[in-house]
Amino acid sequence: MSIRPVDHTSRAVPTIEGAGVHLNRVFGFGDANETDPFLLLDDFRNERPEDYSAGFPWHPHRGIETVTYVLSGTVEHSDSLGNTGRLGAGDVQWMTAGSGILHQEMPEGNASGQMHGFQLWANLPSSLKMTAPRYQDVQGGEIPEIVDDDGTRVRIVVGSFWGKTGPVDGIAADPQFLDISVPAGVKKTFPVDTYRRAFAYIFEGAGAFADASQPTGVLLEKEVAGQEVNIRDMSGNRTLVRFGNGDEVTVQAGPEGVRFLLISGAPIQEPVAWHGPIVMNTRAELETAFRELRNGTFIRAQH
């Protein structure tokens, strides 16, 4: 067994999307080869309704799949095919945009105004770019959760892990999507298929990945007493960790424990032509998609 080394760490970057939603972009719109088969991950976490309530009004997608995982608040969604739904805390929606869909997503905070969730974009191979759109809406109670003897908790959203299988299936990237909580001071190793691209996204607490004995944070420049200094940020909050090759991921939890998404998938290794919410293989395919948006032929008849 070989532990995957840490290839790269970075912090999510604040950005504004939709009609003015303040969120943090973990990765996206960069070199798609670095995270293949995944294209983008957004962390939408906010306690100010004015910073998210305008939501994501009608917009198109083609050539990708999206997973929306809600931790707090709700997300109302509807689309051009007449589908509607509501995602609550703990719920998941996996949408295959395929040949094309127009939809909207409107967030609403909980009783305290808090809204928190993630959206991940996964690429589709050329053979499935124009497949029929579909949804998989999963209630939080359907997602298996395993609690190990040391208190480690794993929610299995997609894929199989520790003898349990998540409820979402038929995804082109054959991903594994886990929500993992490791208690304070615990060192834990998790298997990851050797042939998958893998990353972790820490969103609570702190932890050290790879075979390290002490938790360390991301090296950041901060101003202290009027001077720029490099310090280790121990919060672990909004930290992306990309891994190299191997078949295990090891984490040492910090003094407050650590919670993170562990996501892996099989690389597609195809050309990517990408503009906004549409991801194809060639520039010509992109131009066709936007021409169809303009002339009203973007949505294909469903059989």
Side-chain angles (χ1 to χ4, degrees):
M1 308 296 279
S2 59
I3 294 174
R4 287 180 176 240
V6 173
D7 271 358
H8 170 86
T9 60
S10 60
R11 297 279 287 193
V13 178
T15 189
I16 298 177
E17 284 290 358
V21 177
H22 293 246
L23 51 80
N24 284 269
R25 177 143 298 149
V26 183
F27 62 85
F29 297 103
D31 183 354
N33 291 322
E34 292 180 348
T35 54
D36 181 21
F38 305 109
L39 298 161
L40 175 147
L41 177 62
D42 281 343
D43 177 351
F44 50 96
R45 182 183 346 183
N46 214 301
E47 298 183 356
R48 290 165 40 93
E50 58 267 36
D51 287 343
Y52 62 77
S53 58
F56 305 90
W58 293 99
H59 58 281
H61 284 292
R62 175 178 285 180
I64 65 171
E65 299 183 280
T66 68
V67 60
T68 304
Y69 180 34
V70 178
L71 297 182
S72 301
T74 60
V75 176
E76 298 269 2
H77 67 89
S78 54
D79 69 25
S80 53
L81 302 177
N83 298 306
T84 61
R86 180 182 178 92
L87 300 176
D91 296 348
V92 174
Q93 179 196 82
W94 201 293
M95 180 189 76
T96 302
S99 61
I101 201 165
L102 297 170
H103 77 155
Q104 65 174 353
E105 300 157 299
M106 307 304 289
E108 182 180 335
N110 61 17
S112 301
Q114 298 165 328
M115 180 71 222
H116 189 195
F118 305 98
Q119 187 165 92
L120 176 72
W121 292 11
N123 200 7
L124 281 169
S126 56
S127 60
L128 296 175
K129 288 287 188 190
M130 300 301 287
T131 193
R134 70 170 181 145
Y135 286 94
Q136 295 182 70
D137 283 352
V138 178
Q139 299 296 305
E142 299 177 49
I143 299 173
E145 180 175 275
I146 301 172
V147 182
D148 208 5
D149 293 342
D150 59 11
T152 297
R153 292 178 175 270
V154 181
R155 294 193 84 212
I156 307 163
V157 178
V158 185
S160 297
F161 188 78
W162 285 353
K164 300 283 188 179
T165 299
V168 177
D169 63 7
I171 306 303
D174 188 25
Q176 187 180 61
F177 187 118
L178 308 175
D179 176 355
I180 298 176
S181 300
V182 181
V186 171
K187 187 175 183 179
K188 198 73 175 176
T189 296
F190 304 94
V192 179
D193 189 281
T194 304
Y195 299 102
R196 294 171 180 266
R197 191 74 54 82
F199 68 87
Y201 178 62
I202 304 171
F203 60 96
E204 288 180 14
F209 284 90
D211 196 14
S213 59
Q214 295 296 324
T216 58
V218 175
L219 188 63
L220 298 176
E221 284 190 0
K222 288 193 174 181
E223 186 172 307
V224 177
Q227 302 211 357
E228 294 289 334
V229 297
N230 288 329
I231 65 172
R232 290 283 173 181
D233 181 356
M234 291 297 295
S235 70
N237 205 350
R238 300 188 176 97
T239 301
L240 170 69
V241 181
R242 294 205 317 258
F243 300 106
N245 296 327
D247 53 17
E248 294 179 332
V249 165
T250 293
V251 62
Q252 170 73 54
E256 297 180 356
V258 63
R259 186 177 181 186
F260 58 96
L261 303 179
L262 180 60
I263 299 175
S264 63
I268 294 173
Q269 298 180 316
E270 291 182 353
V272 173
W274 184 1
H275 186 79
I278 297 176
V279 185
M280 305 302 290
N281 294 103
T282 68
R283 190 73 195 175
E285 290 170 338
L286 268 187
E287 291 170 353
T288 296
F290 282 99
R291 183 171 61 250
E292 291 176 351
L293 271 173
R294 291 191 298 270
N295 66 24
T297 60
F298 184 77
I299 302 300
R300 306 299 173 93
Q302 302 301 305
H303 301 290

